[in-house]
Amino acid sequence: MSDLLVVSDLRVTFGARPNGRAGGRTKSWARRGRAGLVAVDGVSLRVAPEETLAVVGESGSGKTTVARCVVGLQRPDSGSVTFEGRPLGPVGRRPPDLQRAVQMVFQDPRSSLNPRMTVAELIGEAWRTHPAAAPAGDRPAALRRVLADVGLDGDVAARRAGDLSGGQCQRVSIARALAVGPRLLVCDEAVSALDVSVQAQILRLLVDLRSSHRLALLFITHDLGVVHQIADRVAVMRGGAVVEEGPAGQVLGAPRHEYTRTLLDAALDLGAEA
């Protein structure tokens, strides 16, 4: 099976000055280089159709920067990102079909939605940007379908985002992404801001949607404790680089890298405390 997404030798630096010295405060996670602070250093990843790849690492490991490069919100210094062999450039320069194909679900469900807008307006924005995804006459029915897909009643459409719970907001965020018919969802810490019980619900929802909508997922997380519930493969990042990658069962059951073992031990300790 050919890969859907291919990230090759990606490199991103921040804070470069004209004289080659890094500007701003040095992050503990970033490696200081002549051109700036190295946030992502030679990362290569592959995601097959309908596969879930979890990218795991502590805060600042570079995983979110990789995700932002995939969706076109961050321009890499070097390397490439392709979707079915086609280059994925900055979001504003992508052909409409590639813009629809790769969608992102952000970490904080409340801040990613305008609290004054209704759910119908929020999802309608996606269709105004990508009208081919839902012809105007079909949108009321399409709205009901996409809300049902994420487990929300149709009457939620008239409610403002600011009146919804965190879990409902994240379901709306997922619905907004689904509305344009993506083939890859990039989920950036999509459950970390939610209560534990709601986390489990959203994880189950993503697993179900992957099957029903034939989606691939790039799942960004710092928590190895949730990875086994969703991932087919796992890539572990540290200091901007991938230090271990493999099938989820192998990485979680018999990790080869000391850093992966440290993350697993931390996840087990937190689970025991809970």
Side-chain angles (χ1 to χ4, degrees), residues 165-246:
S165 68
Q168 288 174 319
C169 284
Q170 196 61 300
R171 289 175 187 269
V172 172
S173 296
I174 295 169
R176 183 173 59 179
L178 289 177
V180 299
R183 297 184 59 197
L184 172 70
L185 275 188
V186 180
C187 301
D188 182 19
E189 297 280 10
V191 299
S192 65
L194 304 173
D195 292 340
V196 173
S197 60
V198 180
Q199 283 186 11
Q201 295 169 15
I202 298 299
L203 288 171
R204 286 195 297 270
L205 173 64
L206 289 171
V207 170
D208 291 344
L209 291 173
R210 185 182 75 165
S211 176
S212 61
H213 287 256
R214 304 189 67 177
L215 295 169
L217 301 179
L218 181 62
F219 190 81
I220 309 298
T221 182
H222 67 279
D223 185 1
L224 271 174
V226 305
V227 168
H228 72 279
Q229 302 177 55
I230 195 168
D232 299 305
R233 290 189 302 112
V234 178
V236 180
M237 287 190 65
R238 184 185 189 188
V242 174
V243 298
E244 182 165 1
E245 182 179 0

Side-chain angles (χ1 to χ4, degrees), residues 65-108:
T65 302
V66 171
R68 289 175 62 84
C69 289
V70 170
V71 297
L73 298 177
Q74 174 68 47
R75 186 191 297 270
D77 298 335
S78 61
S80 64
V81 183
T82 62
F83 187 88
E84 293 186 324
R86 299 169 64 189
L88 284 176
V91 67
R93 298 183 181 179
R94 293 183 180 183
D97 63 319
L98 286 182
Q99 289 187 30
R100 294 194 302 270
V102 182
Q103 293 291 308
M104 192 167 192
V105 179
F106 294 91
Q107 176 177 0
D108 187 344

Side-chain angles (χ1 to χ4, degrees), residues 117-121 143-144 147 153-160:
M117 295 179 68
T118 68
V119 171
E121 290 170 339
L143 177 60
R144 291 192 294 272
L147 289 177
D153 294 332
D155 59 5
V156 171
R159 297 178 62 185
R160 297 184 188 277

